[in-house]
Amino acid sequence: MANITRFDPVGELVSLRSAMDRLFEDSFVSPMTWRTITGNGNGEGITPPIDVHETPDDIVVTAALPGVRADDVEITMTGQTLVLRGELKANERAQREHYLYRERRHGTFSRSLQLPVRVEGDKAQATFEHGVLTLSIPKAEEVKP
């Protein structure tokens, strides 16, 4: 008796879609590591991974900035747009030709994000501890529950 396998186009599309979702998730969305988008090797395009959550009164932004000093980070707030800029300084103790592997990124970075609600940026509080920047930005009074 022969096995007959029916072609299921809907099933094929669903598996193709899930494969594409995984591809885009791994390539563009997942902020698990620092990555270079432009790939030119000079650090341009480095994006620090961030988490954003909200409480009833605040928007809290947490950014992983390992190896960055607090003095090397610039935080600006314009309306609902938050911009983090800074610099990862290279280890200058070893000469370039003496490296066997050099995977850590260095150079300038910039990360901009649009916050989902109106905030009072001038009242934001920032802490920087163990390479983790935490911003607590109060929501505007009219958007609080």
Side-chain angles (χ1 to χ4, degrees), residues 106-128:
H106 64 277
T108 59
F109 65 86
S110 179
R111 182 76 190 256
S112 174
L113 73 128
Q114 188 74 23
L115 299 176
V117 296
R118 290 193 55 213
V119 293
E120 297 176 355
D122 56 336
K123 296 180 182 175
Q125 299 290 318
T127 60
F128 194 87

Side-chain angles (χ1 to χ4, degrees), residues 10 25 36-37 42 57 66 84 98 109 114 117 140:
V10 175
E25 180 76 24
T36 301
I37 296 172
N42 68 0
D57 296 326
L84 301 176
H98 294 134
F109 65 86
Q114 188 74 23
V117 296

Side-chain angles (χ1 to χ4, degrees), residues 18-38 45 47:
S18 65
M20 293 299 291
D21 287 346
R22 276 195 312 272
L23 173 70
F24 282 107
E25 180 76 24
D26 292 345
S27 300
F28 301 109
V29 178
S30 180
M32 297 306 290
T33 61
W34 291 63
R35 59 193 182 273
T36 301
I37 296 172
T38 58
T47 56

Side-chain angles (χ1 to χ4, degrees), residues 55-76:
T55 67
D57 296 326
D58 300 315
I59 297 291
V60 180
V61 178
T62 307
L65 303 171
V68 178
R69 294 185 356 207
D71 295 339
D72 294 334
V73 179
E74 176 187 337
I75 304 163
T76 55

